[in-house]
PDB file of all heavy atoms in Angstrom:
ATOM      1  N   LEU A   1     323.020 167.210 136.218  1.00 97.00           N
ATOM      2  CA  LEU A   1     323.217 168.657 136.108  1.00 97.00           C
ATOM      3  C   LEU A   1     322.574 169.010 134.735  1.00 97.00           C
ATOM      4  O   LEU A   1     322.767 168.340 133.813  1.00 97.00           O
ATOM      5  CB  LEU A   1     324.628 168.961 136.193  1.00 97.00           C
ATOM      6  CG  LEU A   1     325.005 170.564 136.101  1.00 97.00           C
ATOM      7  CD1 LEU A   1     324.439 171.267 137.289  1.00 97.00           C
ATOM      8  CD2 LEU A   1     326.534 170.694 136.003  1.00 97.00           C
ATOM      9  N   PHE A   2     321.938 170.214 134.713  1.00 98.00           N
ATOM     10  CA  PHE A   2     321.322 170.624 133.443  1.00 98.00           C
ATOM     11  C   PHE A   2     321.154 172.159 133.506  1.00 98.00           C
ATOM     12  O   PHE A   2     321.023 172.805 134.500  1.00 98.00           O
ATOM     13  CB  PHE A   2     319.904 169.935 133.225  1.00 98.00           C
ATOM     14  CG  PHE A   2     318.958 170.033 134.488  1.00 98.00           C
ATOM     15  CD1 PHE A   2     318.216 171.096 134.742  1.00 98.00           C
ATOM     16  CD2 PHE A   2     318.983 168.954 135.380  1.00 98.00           C
ATOM     17  CE1 PHE A   2     317.416 171.170 135.854  1.00 98.00           C
ATOM     18  CE2 PHE A   2     318.257 168.979 136.573  1.00 98.00           C
ATOM     19  CZ  PHE A   2     317.383 170.185 136.802  1.00 98.00           C
ATOM     20  N   PRO A   3     321.029 172.796 132.271  1.00 98.00           N
ATOM     21  CA  PRO A   3     320.857 174.194 132.255  1.00 98.00           C
ATOM     22  C   PRO A   3     319.461 174.605 132.671  1.00 98.00           C
ATOM     23  O   PRO A   3     318.513 173.905 132.512  1.00 98.00           O
ATOM     24  CB  PRO A   3     321.044 174.602 130.801  1.00 98.00           C
ATOM     25  CG  PRO A   3     320.808 173.248 129.998  1.00 98.00           C
ATOM     26  CD  PRO A   3     321.219 172.159 130.918  1.00 98.00           C
ATOM     27  N   VAL A   4     319.424 175.753 133.349  1.00 98.00           N
ATOM     28  CA  VAL A   4     318.143 176.349 133.778  1.00 98.00           C
ATOM     29  C   VAL A   4     318.098 177.824 133.539  1.00 98.00           C
ATOM     30  O   VAL A   4     319.148 178.473 133.356  1.00 98.00           O
ATOM     31  CB  VAL A   4     317.908 176.100 135.340  1.00 98.00           C
ATOM     32  CG1 VAL A   4     317.890 174.625 135.681  1.00 98.00           C
ATOM     33  CG2 VAL A   4     318.849 176.887 136.215  1.00 98.00           C
ATOM     34  N   ILE A   5     316.951 178.339 133.404  1.00 98.00           N
ATOM     35  CA  ILE A   5     316.670 179.806 133.509  1.00 98.00           C
ATOM     36  C   ILE A   5     316.093 180.086 134.852  1.00 98.00           C
ATOM     37  O   ILE A   5     315.021 179.437 135.172  1.00 98.00           O
ATOM     38  CB  ILE A   5     315.822 180.306 132.343  1.00 98.00           C
ATOM     39  CG1 ILE A   5     316.487 180.134 131.007  1.00 98.00           C
ATOM     40  CG2 ILE A   5     315.365 181.774 132.525  1.00 98.00           C
ATOM     41  CD1 ILE A   5     315.714 180.546 129.860  1.00 98.00           C
ATOM     42  N   ASP A   6     316.589 181.086 135.538  1.00 98.00           N
ATOM     43  CA  ASP A   6     316.123 181.352 136.905  1.00 98.00           C
ATOM     44  C   ASP A   6     315.501 182.695 136.952  1.00 98.00           C
ATOM     45  O   ASP A   6     316.195 183.684 136.840  1.00 98.00           O
ATOM     46  CB  ASP A   6     317.311 181.337 137.893  1.00 98.00           C
ATOM     47  CG  ASP A   6     317.032 181.526 139.300  1.00 98.00           C
ATOM     48  OD1 ASP A   6     315.949 181.912 139.593  1.00 98.00           O
ATOM     49  OD2 ASP A   6     317.907 181.349 140.109  1.00 98.00           O
ATOM     50  N   THR A   7     314.210 182.708 137.114  1.00 98.00           N
ATOM     51  CA  THR A   7     313.367 183.974 137.019  1.00 98.00           C
ATOM     52  C   THR A   7     313.649 184.841 138.194  1.00 98.00           C
ATOM     53  O   THR A   7     313.590 186.059 138.122  1.00 98.00           O
ATOM     54  CB  THR A   7     311.870 183.630 137.001  1.00 98.00           C
ATOM     55  OG1 THR A   7     311.532 182.794 138.017  1.00 98.00           O
ATOM     56  CG2 THR A   7     311.498 182.989 135.676  1.00 98.00           C
ATOM     57  N   LEU A   8     314.087 184.287 139.313  1.00 98.00           N
ATOM     58  CA  LEU A   8     314.477 185.102 140.441  1.00 98.00           C
ATOM     59  C   LEU A   8     315.763 185.812 140.176  1.00 98.00           C
ATOM     60  O   LEU A   8     315.874 186.963 140.442  1.00 98.00           O
ATOM     61  CB  LEU A   8     314.601 184.169 141.726  1.00 98.00           C
ATOM     62  CG  LEU A   8     315.070 184.901 143.016  1.00 98.00           C
ATOM     63  CD1 LEU A   8     314.371 184.164 144.225  1.00 98.00           C
ATOM     64  CD2 LEU A   8     316.501 184.844 143.176  1.00 98.00           C
ATOM     65  N   GLU A   9     316.766 185.164 139.559  1.00 96.00           N
ATOM     66  CA  GLU A   9     317.963 185.893 139.207  1.00 96.00           C
ATOM     67  C   GLU A   9     317.678 186.990 138.157  1.00 96.00           C
ATOM     68  O   GLU A   9     318.271 188.025 138.282  1.00 96.00           O
ATOM     69  CB  GLU A   9     318.951 184.804 138.585  1.00 96.00           C
ATOM     70  CG  GLU A   9     320.335 185.464 138.244  1.00 96.00           C
ATOM     71  CD  GLU A   9     321.285 184.500 137.735  1.00 96.00           C
ATOM     72  OE1 GLU A   9     320.851 183.713 136.830  1.00 96.00           O
ATOM     73  OE2 GLU A   9     322.467 184.570 138.111  1.00 96.00           O
ATOM     74  N   ILE A  10     316.845 186.755 137.236  1.00 97.00           N
ATOM     75  CA  ILE A  10     316.538 187.805 136.207  1.00 97.00           C
ATOM     76  C   ILE A  10     315.960 189.050 137.036  1.00 97.00           C
ATOM     77  O   ILE A  10     316.349 190.152 136.700  1.00 97.00           O
ATOM     78  CB  ILE A  10     315.460 187.274 135.249  1.00 97.00           C
ATOM     79  CG1 ILE A  10     316.115 186.218 134.384  1.00 97.00           C
ATOM     80  CG2 ILE A  10     314.929 188.411 134.392  1.00 97.00           C
ATOM     81  CD1 ILE A  10     315.206 185.575 133.469  1.00 97.00           C
ATOM     82  N   GLU A  11     315.109 188.827 138.003  1.00 96.00           N
ATOM     83  CA  GLU A  11     314.595 190.015 138.729  1.00 96.00           C
ATOM     84  C   GLU A  11     315.690 190.638 139.517  1.00 96.00           C
ATOM     85  O   GLU A  11     315.711 191.853 139.637  1.00 96.00           O
ATOM     86  CB  GLU A  11     313.515 189.570 139.726  1.00 96.00           C
ATOM     87  CG  GLU A  11     312.154 189.232 139.018  1.00 96.00           C
ATOM     88  CD  GLU A  11     311.519 190.342 138.194  1.00 96.00           C
ATOM     89  OE1 GLU A  11     311.062 191.293 138.940  1.00 96.00           O
ATOM     90  OE2 GLU A  11     311.603 190.326 136.994  1.00 96.00           O
ATOM     91  N   SER A  12     316.615 189.874 139.965  1.00 94.00           N
ATOM     92  CA  SER A  12     317.693 190.481 140.679  1.00 94.00           C
ATOM     93  C   SER A  12     318.609 191.351 139.808  1.00 94.00           C
ATOM     94  O   SER A  12     319.120 192.369 140.374  1.00 94.00           O
ATOM     95  CB  SER A  12     318.563 189.353 141.394  1.00 94.00           C
ATOM     96  OG  SER A  12     319.429 188.824 140.406  1.00 94.00           O
ATOM     97  N   TRP A  13     318.690 191.129 138.576  1.00 94.00           N
ATOM     98  CA  TRP A  13     319.462 192.030 137.689  1.00 94.00           C
ATOM     99  C   TRP A  13     318.887 193.447 137.656  1.00 94.00           C
ATOM    100  O   TRP A  13     319.640 194.341 137.415  1.00 94.00           O
ATOM    101  CB  TRP A  13     319.467 191.444 136.195  1.00 94.00           C
ATOM    102  CG  TRP A  13     320.145 190.105 136.079  1.00 94.00           C
ATOM    103  CD1 TRP A  13     321.079 189.546 136.895  1.00 94.00           C
ATOM    104  CD2 TRP A  13     320.009 189.152 135.052  1.00 94.00           C
ATOM    105  NE1 TRP A  13     321.508 188.364 136.462  1.00 94.00           N
ATOM    106  CE2 TRP A  13     320.919 188.018 135.313  1.00 94.00           C
ATOM    107  CE3 TRP A  13     319.211 189.123 133.929  1.00 94.00           C
ATOM    108  CZ2 TRP A  13     320.956 186.867 134.533  1.00 94.00           C
ATOM    109  CZ3 TRP A  13     319.281 188.031 133.088  1.00 94.00           C
ATOM    110  CH2 TRP A  13     320.137 186.992 133.377  1.00 94.00           C
ATOM    111  N   PHE A  14     317.632 193.491 137.814  1.00 92.00           N
ATOM    112  CA  PHE A  14     316.956 194.813 137.777  1.00 92.00           C
ATOM    113  C   PHE A  14     316.645 195.441 139.066  1.00 92.00           C
ATOM    114  O   PHE A  14     316.485 196.651 139.117  1.00 92.00           O
ATOM    115  CB  PHE A  14     315.640 194.749 136.921  1.00 92.00           C
ATOM    116  CG  PHE A  14     315.911 194.231 135.474  1.00 92.00           C
ATOM    117  CD1 PHE A  14     315.853 192.841 135.175  1.00 92.00           C
ATOM    118  CD2 PHE A  14     316.303 195.158 134.554  1.00 92.00           C
ATOM    119  CE1 PHE A  14     316.071 192.523 133.867  1.00 92.00           C
ATOM    120  CE2 PHE A  14     316.571 194.713 133.225  1.00 92.00           C
ATOM    121  CZ  PHE A  14     316.442 193.412 132.892  1.00 92.00           C
ATOM    122  N   HIS A  15     316.591 194.648 140.075  1.00 87.00           N
ATOM    123  CA  HIS A  15     316.159 195.126 141.459  1.00 87.00           C
ATOM    124  C   HIS A  15     317.153 195.004 142.558  1.00 87.00           C
ATOM    125  O   HIS A  15     316.787 195.360 143.730  1.00 87.00           O
ATOM    126  CB  HIS A  15     314.784 194.541 141.747  1.00 87.00           C
ATOM    127  CG  HIS A  15     313.718 194.874 140.814  1.00 87.00           C
ATOM    128  ND1 HIS A  15     313.117 196.196 140.723  1.00 87.00           N
ATOM    129  CD2 HIS A  15     313.067 194.155 139.903  1.00 87.00           C
ATOM    130  CE1 HIS A  15     312.212 196.152 139.807  1.00 87.00           C
ATOM    131  NE2 HIS A  15     312.168 194.920 139.331  1.00 87.00           N
ATOM    132  N   ARG A  16     318.246 194.328 142.260  1.00 79.00           N
ATOM    133  CA  ARG A  16     319.307 194.248 143.235  1.00 79.00           C
ATOM    134  C   ARG A  16     320.601 194.725 142.836  1.00 79.00           C
ATOM    135  O   ARG A  16     321.688 194.081 143.199  1.00 79.00           O
ATOM    136  CB  ARG A  16     319.361 192.752 143.728  1.00 79.00           C
ATOM    137  CG  ARG A  16     318.116 192.245 144.405  1.00 79.00           C
ATOM    138  CD  ARG A  16     317.932 192.848 145.761  1.00 79.00           C
ATOM    139  NE  ARG A  16     316.589 192.399 146.349  1.00 79.00           N
ATOM    140  CZ  ARG A  16     316.472 191.366 147.157  1.00 79.00           C
ATOM    141  NH1 ARG A  16     317.595 190.626 147.375  1.00 79.00           N
ATOM    142  NH2 ARG A  16     315.337 191.103 147.721  1.00 79.00           N
ATOM    143  N   LYS A  17     320.547 195.815 142.012  1.00 69.00           N
ATOM    144  CA  LYS A  17     321.837 196.466 141.667  1.00 69.00           C
ATOM    145  C   LYS A  17     322.633 197.011 142.761  1.00 69.00           C
ATOM    146  O   LYS A  17     322.061 197.361 143.903  1.00 69.00           O
ATOM    147  CB  LYS A  17     321.538 197.567 140.624  1.00 69.00           C
ATOM    148  CG  LYS A  17     320.795 197.117 139.348  1.00 69.00           C
ATOM    149  CD  LYS A  17     320.417 198.302 138.514  1.00 69.00           C
ATOM    150  CE  LYS A  17     319.577 197.942 137.286  1.00 69.00           C
ATOM    151  NZ  LYS A  17     319.156 199.185 136.549  1.00 69.00           N
ATOM    152  N   PRO A  18     323.920 197.199 142.709  1.00 53.00           N
ATOM    153  CA  PRO A  18     324.679 197.824 143.753  1.00 53.00           C
ATOM    154  C   PRO A  18     324.075 199.142 144.315  1.00 53.00           C
ATOM    155  O   PRO A  18     324.096 199.336 145.433  1.00 53.00           O
ATOM    156  CB  PRO A  18     326.035 198.067 143.167  1.00 53.00           C
ATOM    157  CG  PRO A  18     326.153 196.938 142.153  1.00 53.00           C
ATOM    158  CD  PRO A  18     324.812 196.850 141.590  1.00 53.00           C
ATOM    159  N   ARG A  19     323.593 199.989 143.308  1.00 53.00           N
ATOM    160  CA  ARG A  19     323.009 201.243 143.791  1.00 53.00           C
ATOM    161  C   ARG A  19     321.752 201.077 144.598  1.00 53.00           C
ATOM    162  O   ARG A  19     321.426 201.841 145.512  1.00 53.00           O
ATOM    163  CB  ARG A  19     322.732 202.184 142.608  1.00 53.00           C
ATOM    164  CG  ARG A  19     321.734 201.694 141.618  1.00 53.00           C
ATOM    165  CD  ARG A  19     321.701 202.713 140.478  1.00 53.00           C
ATOM    166  NE  ARG A  19     320.830 202.116 139.332  1.00 53.00           N
ATOM    167  CZ  ARG A  19     319.537 202.379 139.262  1.00 53.00           C
ATOM    168  NH1 ARG A  19     318.820 203.018 140.230  1.00 53.00           N
ATOM    169  NH2 ARG A  19     318.849 201.930 138.212  1.00 53.00           N
ATOM    170  N   HIS A  20     320.982 199.989 144.293  1.00 52.00           N
ATOM    171  CA  HIS A  20     319.785 199.662 145.124  1.00 52.00           C
ATOM    172  C   HIS A  20     320.147 199.354 146.535  1.00 52.00           C
ATOM    173  O   HIS A  20     319.580 199.754 147.502  1.00 52.00           O
ATOM    174  CB  HIS A  20     318.990 198.564 144.457  1.00 52.00           C
ATOM    175  CG  HIS A  20     318.370 198.960 143.126  1.00 52.00           C
ATOM    176  ND1 HIS A  20     318.122 197.959 142.266  1.00 52.00           N
ATOM    177  CD2 HIS A  20     317.928 200.152 142.630  1.00 52.00           C
ATOM    178  CE1 HIS A  20     317.486 198.602 141.140  1.00 52.00           C
ATOM    179  NE2 HIS A  20     317.502 199.955 141.484  1.00 52.00           N
ATOM    180  N   LYS A  21     321.214 198.527 146.669  1.00 54.00           N
ATOM    181  CA  LYS A  21     321.602 198.071 147.944  1.00 54.00           C
ATOM    182  C   LYS A  21     322.167 199.306 148.778  1.00 54.00           C
ATOM    183  O   LYS A  21     322.076 199.416 149.967  1.00 54.00           O
ATOM    184  CB  LYS A  21     322.729 197.039 147.825  1.00 54.00           C
ATOM    185  CG  LYS A  21     322.200 195.772 147.167  1.00 54.00           C
ATOM    186  CD  LYS A  21     323.240 194.623 146.999  1.00 54.00           C
ATOM    187  CE  LYS A  21     322.688 193.349 146.371  1.00 54.00           C
ATOM    188  NZ  LYS A  21     323.696 192.391 146.241  1.00 54.00           N
ATOM    189  N   LEU A  22     322.905 200.223 148.037  1.00 49.00           N
ATOM    190  CA  LEU A  22     323.466 201.350 148.687  1.00 49.00           C
ATOM    191  C   LEU A  22     322.342 202.274 149.251  1.00 49.00           C
ATOM    192  O   LEU A  22     322.364 202.707 150.344  1.00 49.00           O
ATOM    193  CB  LEU A  22     324.312 202.173 147.717  1.00 49.00           C
ATOM    194  CG  LEU A  22     324.876 203.515 148.293  1.00 49.00           C
ATOM    195  CD1 LEU A  22     325.769 203.212 149.496  1.00 49.00           C
ATOM    196  CD2 LEU A  22     325.639 204.216 147.208  1.00 49.00           C
ATOM    197  N   TRP A  23     321.246 202.467 148.400  1.00 48.00           N
ATOM    198  CA  TRP A  23     320.117 203.282 148.825  1.00 48.00           C
ATOM    199  C   TRP A  23     319.457 202.639 150.074  1.00 48.00           C
ATOM    200  O   TRP A  23     319.035 203.328 150.963  1.00 48.00           O
ATOM    201  CB  TRP A  23     319.207 203.544 147.656  1.00 48.00           C
ATOM    202  CG  TRP A  23     319.703 204.392 146.580  1.00 48.00           C
ATOM    203  CD1 TRP A  23     320.835 205.237 146.628  1.00 48.00           C
ATOM    204  CD2 TRP A  23     319.219 204.494 145.288  1.00 48.00           C
ATOM    205  NE1 TRP A  23     320.963 205.877 145.493  1.00 48.00           N
ATOM    206  CE2 TRP A  23     320.070 205.394 144.620  1.00 48.00           C
ATOM    207  CE3 TRP A  23     318.116 203.840 144.620  1.00 48.00           C
ATOM    208  CZ2 TRP A  23     319.830 205.751 143.258  1.00 48.00           C
ATOM    209  CZ3 TRP A  23     317.890 204.143 143.287  1.00 48.00           C
ATOM    210  CH2 TRP A  23     318.780 205.050 142.681  1.00 48.00           C
ATOM    211  N   SER A  24     319.412 201.377 150.049  1.00 57.00           N
ATOM    212  CA  SER A  24     318.734 200.646 151.053  1.00 57.00           C
ATOM    213  C   SER A  24     319.440 200.873 152.375  1.00 57.00           C
ATOM    214  O   SER A  24     318.960 201.158 153.465  1.00 57.00           O
ATOM    215  CB  SER A  24     318.706 199.178 150.795  1.00 57.00           C
ATOM    216  OG  SER A  24     318.119 198.398 151.866  1.00 57.00           O
ATOM    217  N   ARG A  25     320.771 200.843 152.413  1.00 58.00           N
ATOM    218  CA  ARG A  25     321.576 201.060 153.593  1.00 58.00           C
ATOM    219  C   ARG A  25     321.495 202.547 154.055  1.00 58.00           C
ATOM    220  O   ARG A  25     321.430 202.810 155.239  1.00 58.00           O
ATOM    221  CB  ARG A  25     323.047 200.631 153.314  1.00 58.00           C
ATOM    222  CG  ARG A  25     323.243 199.142 153.209  1.00 58.00           C
ATOM    223  CD  ARG A  25     324.780 198.815 153.350  1.00 58.00           C
ATOM    224  NE  ARG A  25     325.573 199.369 152.333  1.00 58.00           N
ATOM    225  CZ  ARG A  25     325.849 198.832 151.190  1.00 58.00           C
ATOM    226  NH1 ARG A  25     325.406 197.583 150.933  1.00 58.00           N
ATOM    227  NH2 ARG A  25     326.608 199.480 150.377  1.00 58.00           N
ATOM    228  N   LEU A  26     321.641 203.450 153.109  1.00 52.00           N
ATOM    229  CA  LEU A  26     321.684 204.847 153.485  1.00 52.00           C
ATOM    230  C   LEU A  26     320.288 205.331 153.980  1.00 52.00           C
ATOM    231  O   LEU A  26     320.251 206.119 154.997  1.00 52.00           O
ATOM    232  CB  LEU A  26     322.012 205.653 152.206  1.00 52.00           C
ATOM    233  CG  LEU A  26     323.474 205.611 151.713  1.00 52.00           C
ATOM    234  CD1 LEU A  26     323.624 206.388 150.423  1.00 52.00           C
ATOM    235  CD2 LEU A  26     324.406 206.068 152.828  1.00 52.00           C
ATOM    236  N   PHE A  27     319.191 204.871 153.484  1.00 51.00           N
ATOM    237  CA  PHE A  27     317.845 205.364 153.849  1.00 51.00           C
ATOM    238  C   PHE A  27     317.054 204.420 154.657  1.00 51.00           C
ATOM    239  O   PHE A  27     315.961 204.680 154.961  1.00 51.00           O
ATOM    240  CB  PHE A  27     317.166 205.718 152.574  1.00 51.00           C
ATOM    241  CG  PHE A  27     317.778 206.920 151.821  1.00 51.00           C
ATOM    242  CD1 PHE A  27     318.474 206.630 150.596  1.00 51.00           C
ATOM    243  CD2 PHE A  27     317.855 208.209 152.258  1.00 51.00           C
ATOM    244  CE1 PHE A  27     319.115 207.600 149.914  1.00 51.00           C
ATOM    245  CE2 PHE A  27     318.450 209.121 151.484  1.00 51.00           C
ATOM    246  CZ  PHE A  27     319.122 208.939 150.377  1.00 51.00           C
TER     247      PHE A  27
END
């Protein structure tokens, strides 16, 4: 086991916010 930086997770912080998911469902 070792520490990592996950570039996918970093993108999720900016593009998978709860409001993004809500807009996706609504529209």
Side-chain angles (χ1 to χ4, degrees):
L1 184 63
F2 48 86
V4 301
I5 292 177
D6 186 345
T7 53
L8 181 144
E9 182 181 44
I10 292 173
E11 287 300 287
S12 76
W13 295 339
F14 297 95
H15 298 288
R16 295 293 175 91
K17 301 174 186 177
R19 62 184 173 88
H20 292 152
K21 296 178 181 179
L22 177 61
W23 291 343
S24 176
R25 289 196 298 268
L26 288 177
F27 298 104

